[in-house]
Amino acid sequence: MGIAADIVIIIVAGLAGALVAHRLKQPLMLGYILAGVLVGPFTGGITVGDTHEIEKLAEIGVALLLFALGLEFSLKELKPVRAVALIGTPIQIALTTLLGFYIGRWFGWDILPSLWLGALVSFSSTMVILKTLMNQGVMGTLSSRVMIGILIVQDLAVVPMMIILPRISDPQAGLPVLGLAAAKAAVFLTLMLFLGTRWLPRLLAMIARWESRELFLLSITAIGLGIGYATYLIGLSFALGAFVAGMVLSESDYGHQALSDIIPLRDLFGLLFFTSVGMLLDPRFFAANWQAVLALVLLVGVGKGAIMAALARIFGYGNVIPLAVGFGMFQIGEFSFLLAQAGFGSGALSQDQYWLILCATVISMVLTPLLSGLTKPLYDLLQRVSSNTPLTSIHLAEDVLKDHVVVVGGGRVGQHVAKVLRQLEVAFVIIEVNHRRFEECKTAGFPAIFGDASQDEVLHAANIEHAQQLLVTAPSITQARQIVQHVLQHHPDLNIVVRAEGEEQMRALYRLGVYMVILPELEAGLEIARQTLLHLKMPIPVIQQYTDAIRKEFYHPLAEGKEEEADLRLLKHARNLLELSWARLAEDGPLNDRSLGELEIRRRLGVSIVGIIRKGQFIPNPDVNFRFTQGDLVAAMGNAQQLDAFKAYLEQGT
């Protein structure tokens, strides 16, 4: 059966490994890697025949993962991390290359293989990091965006690295090739951004009108892989092209459907990738050289993790983000496999050096989910043993901090909330640990405290003991969990509202005891739906019932759905429900100087007159003897058709 038999072996072994990993409460990717070791060419027994072909299929998994990532992200979401991505990543690559060079020299390697080692360890694993972030449910947080921004630039840097390293002995010969690659990248990105954003959505719109789910799936797969392959043909990264294609489609109306269709295919090919990683590990070589392998993993992991964390801190990211970036990006990436093969093929790396790098790469990937999971516990420990958090307050009137609202996070969301509370004259205070945002709150005149909201001193300064509500607007799920756990431990009855990204985060926060979790994407969708229903002249009370039902359904997923379903059914008969409408009587209106009894409005038009405002005075439920006067503001109640007839009567008198 050839490669078909190999795929069957991998899928069955991957299932077994995934079941073991799930049973042990470990990420499934670890089970896939273990399965790859067992069916690899070095362990005997049932073995995959052609590992090289499986590695080629695994490249499709990387491309599909990047394609799906592009569908989930947009350029707007990467704007907050553009500085650390565009400026910090080249610095990180240079520093990590230098680190790897000195590690190689410490191992006793010559200058040339040491340079190759430095270049190899400078890249992190896009596939492993993204799967780890997804499994942890932290996609969309600021720390994840920092990592993704760095990964994108790293992927871009693979191309010049592949050009420069083989020509390292004669760098001038590689400069023309490097310049050509840069020109190709510029042309490709220009075409995708200007032509792709216009033609690809039109193509998907045409295919969607044919209402063939199978054809739609085939189309988005062909777009993602086809554009990726086109970039490969012009000398760029296959995965990079797929990522750009996904970002282009994410701006279209069909991005969400494309993402939901591509996920099963992405996960299946992802299994091939992680299994192929496991097949690279030679247990016999590892057993004979385990000290050197672990030493390389330790030196690279600690040094690279420290560089990553330091860069995040230097570029202004505080709180848990430096730790998350350091523990998430310390590993050696999958593109290092390609570079190692090129180095071995060119004679720059010996066979033992090649196998040492491969083993260290696989081990570092295996350790990533485990070490990344230590981010929060370690951050909690550091907060407990560190000195008191710097505390500065502005515009804070301590005598009115009672029955107030504490807003954690002075970013855009927090400042919008603050503006509303100030307009409504509700007492509040903002807690912000980012100095730039703290200065923005200072400029806006908001009462604010500079400090970490998970610290007792900061919460005490915000008088949390006498607050009536806590709003956590910061996007970091790790930070939100820590704050919620700390506050509920001391103030279990406090009403807490938290912002989250996605349903996984929402469920995790509800399990902690949060009163309400807000999903920004859902709120945007509800507002769009509300505006649509208003345009369709649906009664406002029905629209309110509808939005309340949807919120209850999403925000309280464990609650019974009977009440929500009843509310939703109201939409089917919305035009027959009652609503209130106000109208002012004109100078020559048909109601002037006539009584309710004479007009018989209820019998003729079906509406009920429930109130009158005359010269600033409100008259509720007027009787049959009440006489109308020019300028009266009349409140009528009825369904949509009855109110339309009433308005027509006021305008036409018939």
Side-chain angles (χ1 to χ4, degrees), residues 207-222:
I207 294 171
R209 284 195 294 268
W210 295 341
E211 297 183 354
S212 171
R213 187 72 175 268
E214 181 179 356
L215 188 58
F216 187 82
L217 172 61
L218 180 62
S219 300
I220 60 174
T221 307

Side-chain angles (χ1 to χ4, degrees), residues 174 321 415 533 550 557 622:
I321 294 177
Q415 291 185 39
L533 296 176
I550 292 295

